[in-house]
Amino acid sequence: MATLHERRAYREKVMRALYETTEGNRLLGVTGAKLRDELGVPGEDLAAACTYLVGEGLITVDWAAGNTPAMVTLTHQGIRLMEAEEEKHG
């Protein structure tokens, strides 16, 4: 089980990877397998991070069997959050 610090870091990694890969385009998504492999996040922790971010309205997820994210996309709210972070940090 991931610690609070790890869970927060996983959620941030997912959001950053989605934003960078899709260039803030809501019509594009990233597979859960690609996120898991590129970010080095264990499958169950990726599922937990995605579930949290869905609850916050920041992403949408198409789920595969076994609570595995098949396709993950940013919502309008998620894009706005990442754009604000980009402006804040330059």
Side-chain angles (χ1 to χ4, degrees), residues 31-82:
T31 65
K34 181 176 181 176
L35 286 173
R36 183 191 65 232
D37 295 344
E38 288 186 2
L39 301 178
V41 176
E44 64 188 28
D45 292 326
L46 178 61
C50 287
T51 300
Y52 180 93
L53 294 169
V54 165
E56 293 294 306
L58 301 174
I59 66 171
T60 59
V61 178
D62 294 329
W63 296 96
N67 291 328
T68 303
M71 183 61 66
V72 185
T73 56
L74 287 169
T75 64
H76 179 73
Q77 185 176 343
I79 293 168
R80 289 185 59 190
L81 174 73
M82 295 309 295

Side-chain angles (χ1 to χ4, degrees), residues 7-40:
R7 290 192 306 270
R8 286 182 177 160
Y10 293 155
R11 294 190 297 254
E12 187 177 312
K13 284 181 177 183
V14 168
M15 289 298 292
R16 189 175 299 116
L18 282 172
Y19 184 68
E20 290 173 359
T21 302
T22 64
E23 298 178 348
N25 187 336
R26 284 181 51 183
L27 300 177
L28 301 176
V30 179
T31 65
K34 181 176 181 176
L35 286 173
R36 183 191 65 232
D37 295 344
E38 288 186 2
L39 301 178

